[in-house]
Amino acid sequence: MSTDRDILDRLGALRAADLPVKGGRTMAYVYDSGLEGIEELAAEAAARFAGVNGLDMTVFPSVVALENDIVGRAARLLGGDTETAGTFTSGGTESCLLAVYTAREHARRTRGVEAPELVLPDTAHAAFHKAAALFGLKPVVVPTDPQTYKVRAGDIAAAITGNTALVVLSAPSYAHGVIDPVAEAAAEAARRGVLCHVDACIGGWYLGHLRLAADAPRLPPFDLSVAGVTSLSVDLHKYGYAAKGASVLLFRDAELRRHGWFAHASWPGYPVVNATLQGTKSAAPLAAAWAVLERIGTEGYVDLSRRVHLAAAALAEGVRGIEGLRVLGSPESSLIAVAADGPGIDPFVVADEMRGRGWYLQPQPAFGGSPANLHLTVTAAVAGEETVRQLLADLAEAVGAARALGPVEIDPELVAAAGLLDPDTLTSEEAALALGLAGVGEGGELPERMAPVLAVLQVLPPKLTERLLPELIGRLYT
């Protein structure tokens, strides 16, 4: 039997291969406040609630107390009132899924909609497409402006039909960090009697507190105070800097929220009622999130948000000063998309070069009017002047190296042959062949430099890429 030390050493060894989650150099997936003691507090709070099961809140009233406190805090920050209701979820994806499910049930029960549709910009998060697939809605995708990357309210209005169950808007969109015209588009949805959800998962906590700063920038309205907005999602494990597994879904009122609850008493076991997709669920993330929110407080979040805003502005300005790069759109939040300014620079090669210098900038393949680019999520840990300076210096150096290496070259004949593959009938052997073209090993081994893989996946038909991605990831788990 292994000792405790053996077990912990093994976990430490496994973590050594991961990207760092502290220090601000991993500019996607993780959120670091840079504050001392936050992780320790969250871990202690989670430990105290590790055995508490949120499945039955009548047995564990502490769950109700903590959730009411967190939902109330979120509602006050994001335009709610005394009628606002909400649910604590496991993350942004679950919040988005529940928003769509609730809207589907609301449309069916109140309007008799049997073939529900989901109207959303092409920049909306993939979670909404997942929700449409799971709950049987037809996605109606509206293209965004190729310069601003925002959806036009008129285009949203034109896409709404009698079957529309929900309109989705972003504040901000993940890919470009811009805020959709929420007030205008929500008004169009309301005029047609359709629900409107604002995905503020990544930006809600940050933007909500930023606008409380004395020198806050002018931000467009985006929250529940906007007429026509009926629900909003906001993650606490992003700019709330809570431990992973913490999000809130807010509803206009409890009457709307009830359409998303599941209840079942037609069996010989205990009566079941679930506000989320989970049944049994640990209260540890709830307690950890509550503790971090209490510790940082409103003034602390305002300060963190202000620092992030200044750092993001400095980074965007610095990127514009690097020959060969440009910022896509006009970012209104803490997210920046950086594309090549000319044919000589391959953003995917720049990403590999930056990773070699200790930074992770997230590659985003070209789609529609959005070219291939690098995504930067700016957190409080990046907000120091020296960190910003070092990032820009390394980025300029990486661009120079990428220019010398040149863009990834792909054999057009091989791509054409791969493009003839039918995603619906693709065999494992054909998938292995296609992945091999991208440099993926037979056993699923990823190459040290990912630019060739991304370049191939980018030029294949989207449906084929979507078919190959599970094959790629599935090989990691064999």
mmCIF file with all atom_site columns, all heavy atoms in Angstrom, residues 7 73 93 176 223 334 368 406-407 424 435 451 472 476:
data_model
loop_
_atom_site.group_PDB
_atom_site.id
_atom_site.type_symbol
_atom_site.label_atom_id
_atom_site.label_alt_id
_atom_site.label_comp_id
_atom_site.label_asym_id
_atom_site.label_entity_id
_atom_site.label_seq_id
_atom_site.pdbx_PDB_ins_code
_atom_site.Cartn_x
_atom_site.Cartn_y
_atom_site.Cartn_z
_atom_site.occupancy
_atom_site.B_iso_or_equiv
_atom_site.pdbx_formal_charge
_atom_site.auth_seq_id
_atom_site.auth_comp_id
_atom_site.auth_asym_id
_atom_site.auth_atom_id
_atom_site.pdbx_PDB_model_num
ATOM 1   N N   . ILE A 1 7   ? 1.838   8.965  -2.544  1.00 0.00 ? 7   ILE A N   1
ATOM 2   C CA  . ILE A 1 7   ? 0.686   9.377  -3.346  1.00 0.00 ? 7   ILE A CA  1
ATOM 3   C C   . ILE A 1 7   ? 0.819   10.842 -3.758  1.00 0.00 ? 7   ILE A C   1
ATOM 4   O O   . ILE A 1 7   ? 0.626   11.208 -4.928  1.00 0.00 ? 7   ILE A O   1
ATOM 5   C CB  . ILE A 1 7   ? -0.611  9.160  -2.552  1.00 0.00 ? 7   ILE A CB  1
ATOM 6   C CG1 . ILE A 1 7   ? -0.844  7.657  -2.335  1.00 0.00 ? 7   ILE A CG1 1
ATOM 7   C CG2 . ILE A 1 7   ? -1.803  9.789  -3.265  1.00 0.00 ? 7   ILE A CG2 1
ATOM 8   C CD1 . ILE A 1 7   ? -1.954  7.346  -1.350  1.00 0.00 ? 7   ILE A CD1 1
ATOM 9   N N   . ARG A 1 73  ? -25.580 38.212 -4.140  1.00 0.00 ? 73  ARG A N   1
ATOM 10  C CA  . ARG A 1 73  ? -24.445 39.091 -4.460  1.00 0.00 ? 73  ARG A CA  1
ATOM 11  C C   . ARG A 1 73  ? -24.348 39.309 -5.968  1.00 0.00 ? 73  ARG A C   1
ATOM 12  O O   . ARG A 1 73  ? -24.148 40.427 -6.449  1.00 0.00 ? 73  ARG A O   1
ATOM 13  C CB  . ARG A 1 73  ? -23.154 38.472 -3.924  1.00 0.00 ? 73  ARG A CB  1
ATOM 14  C CG  . ARG A 1 73  ? -21.940 39.375 -4.054  1.00 0.00 ? 73  ARG A CG  1
ATOM 15  C CD  . ARG A 1 73  ? -20.667 38.594 -3.730  1.00 0.00 ? 73  ARG A CD  1
ATOM 16  N NE  . ARG A 1 73  ? -20.610 38.164 -2.341  1.00 0.00 ? 73  ARG A NE  1
ATOM 17  C CZ  . ARG A 1 73  ? -19.916 38.788 -1.384  1.00 0.00 ? 73  ARG A CZ  1
ATOM 18  N NH1 . ARG A 1 73  ? -19.242 39.872 -1.679  1.00 0.00 ? 73  ARG A NH1 1
ATOM 19  N NH2 . ARG A 1 73  ? -19.898 38.322 -0.152  1.00 0.00 ? 73  ARG A NH2 1
ATOM 20  N N   . THR A 1 93  ? -20.433 26.229 -18.814 1.00 0.00 ? 93  THR A N   1
ATOM 21  C CA  . THR A 1 93  ? -21.147 25.350 -19.727 1.00 0.00 ? 93  THR A CA  1
ATOM 22  C C   . THR A 1 93  ? -22.474 24.899 -19.123 1.00 0.00 ? 93  THR A C   1
ATOM 23  O O   . THR A 1 93  ? -23.514 24.926 -19.784 1.00 0.00 ? 93  THR A O   1
ATOM 24  C CB  . THR A 1 93  ? -20.284 24.132 -20.098 1.00 0.00 ? 93  THR A CB  1
ATOM 25  O OG1 . THR A 1 93  ? -19.161 24.567 -20.874 1.00 0.00 ? 93  THR A OG1 1
ATOM 26  C CG2 . THR A 1 93  ? -21.080 23.123 -20.905 1.00 0.00 ? 93  THR A CG2 1
ATOM 27  N N   . HIS A 1 176 ? -13.137 37.494 -29.213 1.00 0.00 ? 176 HIS A N   1
ATOM 28  C CA  . HIS A 1 176 ? -12.617 38.825 -29.513 1.00 0.00 ? 176 HIS A CA  1
ATOM 29  C C   . HIS A 1 176 ? -12.738 39.826 -28.368 1.00 0.00 ? 176 HIS A C   1
ATOM 30  O O   . HIS A 1 176 ? -12.248 40.945 -28.475 1.00 0.00 ? 176 HIS A O   1
ATOM 31  C CB  . HIS A 1 176 ? -13.323 39.393 -30.750 1.00 0.00 ? 176 HIS A CB  1
ATOM 32  C CG  . HIS A 1 176 ? -13.248 38.503 -31.944 1.00 0.00 ? 176 HIS A CG  1
ATOM 33  N ND1 . HIS A 1 176 ? -14.305 37.710 -32.340 1.00 0.00 ? 176 HIS A ND1 1
ATOM 34  C CD2 . HIS A 1 176 ? -12.237 38.248 -32.810 1.00 0.00 ? 176 HIS A CD2 1
ATOM 35  C CE1 . HIS A 1 176 ? -13.951 37.008 -33.401 1.00 0.00 ? 176 HIS A CE1 1
ATOM 36  N NE2 . HIS A 1 176 ? -12.709 37.311 -33.706 1.00 0.00 ? 176 HIS A NE2 1
ATOM 37  N N   . ASP A 1 223 ? -26.559 43.869 -18.631 1.00 0.00 ? 223 ASP A N   1
ATOM 38  C CA  . ASP A 1 223 ? -27.007 42.948 -17.594 1.00 0.00 ? 223 ASP A CA  1
ATOM 39  C C   . ASP A 1 223 ? -28.528 42.901 -17.459 1.00 0.00 ? 223 ASP A C   1
ATOM 40  O O   . ASP A 1 223 ? -29.265 43.324 -18.348 1.00 0.00 ? 223 ASP A O   1
ATOM 41  C CB  . ASP A 1 223 ? -26.328 43.279 -16.267 1.00 0.00 ? 223 ASP A CB  1
ATOM 42  C CG  . ASP A 1 223 ? -26.667 44.684 -15.759 1.00 0.00 ? 223 ASP A CG  1
ATOM 43  O OD1 . ASP A 1 223 ? -27.644 45.278 -16.258 1.00 0.00 ? 223 ASP A OD1 1
ATOM 44  O OD2 . ASP A 1 223 ? -25.963 45.178 -14.861 1.00 0.00 ? 223 ASP A OD2 1
ATOM 45  N N   . SER A 1 334 ? -11.305 42.162 -20.923 1.00 0.00 ? 334 SER A N   1
ATOM 46  C CA  . SER A 1 334 ? -9.963  41.688 -20.581 1.00 0.00 ? 334 SER A CA  1
ATOM 47  C C   . SER A 1 334 ? -9.437  40.663 -21.577 1.00 0.00 ? 334 SER A C   1
ATOM 48  O O   . SER A 1 334 ? -8.437  40.008 -21.307 1.00 0.00 ? 334 SER A O   1
ATOM 49  C CB  . SER A 1 334 ? -10.024 41.040 -19.197 1.00 0.00 ? 334 SER A CB  1
ATOM 50  O OG  . SER A 1 334 ? -11.007 40.018 -19.200 1.00 0.00 ? 334 SER A OG  1
ATOM 51  N N   . GLY A 1 368 ? -14.996 32.101 -40.631 1.00 0.00 ? 368 GLY A N   1
ATOM 52  C CA  . GLY A 1 368 ? -15.780 33.198 -41.189 1.00 0.00 ? 368 GLY A CA  1
ATOM 53  C C   . GLY A 1 368 ? -14.885 34.399 -41.472 1.00 0.00 ? 368 GLY A C   1
ATOM 54  O O   . GLY A 1 368 ? -13.859 34.287 -42.136 1.00 0.00 ? 368 GLY A O   1
ATOM 55  N N   . GLY A 1 406 ? 8.878   31.305 -41.155 1.00 0.00 ? 406 GLY A N   1
ATOM 56  C CA  . GLY A 1 406 ? 7.857   31.315 -42.184 1.00 0.00 ? 406 GLY A CA  1
ATOM 57  C C   . GLY A 1 406 ? 6.613   30.552 -41.759 1.00 0.00 ? 406 GLY A C   1
ATOM 58  O O   . GLY A 1 406 ? 6.642   29.762 -40.808 1.00 0.00 ? 406 GLY A O   1
ATOM 59  N N   . PRO A 1 407 ? 5.503   30.764 -42.459 1.00 0.00 ? 407 PRO A N   1
ATOM 60  C CA  . PRO A 1 407 ? 4.256   30.080 -42.124 1.00 0.00 ? 407 PRO A CA  1
ATOM 61  C C   . PRO A 1 407 ? 4.354   28.574 -42.368 1.00 0.00 ? 407 PRO A C   1
ATOM 62  O O   . PRO A 1 407 ? 5.197   28.111 -43.135 1.00 0.00 ? 407 PRO A O   1
ATOM 63  C CB  . PRO A 1 407 ? 3.235   30.721 -43.072 1.00 0.00 ? 407 PRO A CB  1
ATOM 64  C CG  . PRO A 1 407 ? 3.862   32.002 -43.513 1.00 0.00 ? 407 PRO A CG  1
ATOM 65  C CD  . PRO A 1 407 ? 5.332   31.757 -43.526 1.00 0.00 ? 407 PRO A CD  1
ATOM 66  N N   . ASP A 1 424 ? -19.407 11.547 -41.829 1.00 0.00 ? 424 ASP A N   1
ATOM 67  C CA  . ASP A 1 424 ? -20.442 10.661 -41.304 1.00 0.00 ? 424 ASP A CA  1
ATOM 68  C C   . ASP A 1 424 ? -20.080 9.191  -41.406 1.00 0.00 ? 424 ASP A C   1
ATOM 69  O O   . ASP A 1 424 ? -20.618 8.361  -40.675 1.00 0.00 ? 424 ASP A O   1
ATOM 70  C CB  . ASP A 1 424 ? -21.768 10.906 -42.024 1.00 0.00 ? 424 ASP A CB  1
ATOM 71  C CG  . ASP A 1 424 ? -22.326 12.295 -41.753 1.00 0.00 ? 424 ASP A CG  1
ATOM 72  O OD1 . ASP A 1 424 ? -22.082 12.814 -40.643 1.00 0.00 ? 424 ASP A OD1 1
ATOM 73  O OD2 . ASP A 1 424 ? -22.980 12.863 -42.644 1.00 0.00 ? 424 ASP A OD2 1
ATOM 74  N N   . LEU A 1 435 ? -5.181  12.477 -39.320 1.00 0.00 ? 435 LEU A N   1
ATOM 75  C CA  . LEU A 1 435 ? -4.428  13.031 -38.202 1.00 0.00 ? 435 LEU A CA  1
ATOM 76  C C   . LEU A 1 435 ? -2.928  12.926 -38.438 1.00 0.00 ? 435 LEU A C   1
ATOM 77  O O   . LEU A 1 435 ? -2.153  13.785 -38.012 1.00 0.00 ? 435 LEU A O   1
ATOM 78  C CB  . LEU A 1 435 ? -4.810  12.319 -36.902 1.00 0.00 ? 435 LEU A CB  1
ATOM 79  C CG  . LEU A 1 435 ? -6.236  12.597 -36.396 1.00 0.00 ? 435 LEU A CG  1
ATOM 80  C CD1 . LEU A 1 435 ? -6.558  11.710 -35.205 1.00 0.00 ? 435 LEU A CD1 1
ATOM 81  C CD2 . LEU A 1 435 ? -6.390  14.064 -36.017 1.00 0.00 ? 435 LEU A CD2 1
ATOM 82  N N   . ALA A 1 451 ? 1.763   24.030 -34.322 1.00 0.00 ? 451 ALA A N   1
ATOM 83  C CA  . ALA A 1 451 ? 1.365   24.814 -35.485 1.00 0.00 ? 451 ALA A CA  1
ATOM 84  C C   . ALA A 1 451 ? 0.961   23.941 -36.673 1.00 0.00 ? 451 ALA A C   1
ATOM 85  O O   . ALA A 1 451 ? -0.070  24.211 -37.317 1.00 0.00 ? 451 ALA A O   1
ATOM 86  C CB  . ALA A 1 451 ? 2.479   25.774 -35.883 1.00 0.00 ? 451 ALA A CB  1
ATOM 87  N N   . LEU A 1 472 ? -8.810  12.620 -32.109 1.00 0.00 ? 472 LEU A N   1
ATOM 88  C CA  . LEU A 1 472 ? -7.529  13.114 -31.585 1.00 0.00 ? 472 LEU A CA  1
ATOM 89  C C   . LEU A 1 472 ? -7.488  12.998 -30.063 1.00 0.00 ? 472 LEU A C   1
ATOM 90  O O   . LEU A 1 472 ? -6.543  12.433 -29.483 1.00 0.00 ? 472 LEU A O   1
ATOM 91  C CB  . LEU A 1 472 ? -7.317  14.560 -32.023 1.00 0.00 ? 472 LEU A CB  1
ATOM 92  C CG  . LEU A 1 472 ? -6.130  15.307 -31.402 1.00 0.00 ? 472 LEU A CG  1
ATOM 93  C CD1 . LEU A 1 472 ? -4.825  14.627 -31.761 1.00 0.00 ? 472 LEU A CD1 1
ATOM 94  C CD2 . LEU A 1 472 ? -6.130  16.759 -31.845 1.00 0.00 ? 472 LEU A CD2 1
ATOM 95  N N   . LEU A 1 476 ? -5.673  10.135 -26.669 1.00 0.00 ? 476 LEU A N   1
ATOM 96  C CA  . LEU A 1 476 ? -4.939  10.469 -25.443 1.00 0.00 ? 476 LEU A CA  1
ATOM 97  C C   . LEU A 1 476 ? -5.346  9.578  -24.282 1.00 0.00 ? 476 LEU A C   1
ATOM 98  O O   . LEU A 1 476 ? -4.597  9.410  -23.311 1.00 0.00 ? 476 LEU A O   1
ATOM 99  C CB  . LEU A 1 476 ? -5.182  11.935 -25.067 1.00 0.00 ? 476 LEU A CB  1
ATOM 100 C CG  . LEU A 1 476 ? -4.755  13.000 -26.084 1.00 0.00 ? 476 LEU A CG  1
ATOM 101 C CD1 . LEU A 1 476 ? -5.111  14.376 -25.566 1.00 0.00 ? 476 LEU A CD1 1
ATOM 102 C CD2 . LEU A 1 476 ? -3.270  12.905 -26.395 1.00 0.00 ? 476 LEU A CD2 1
#
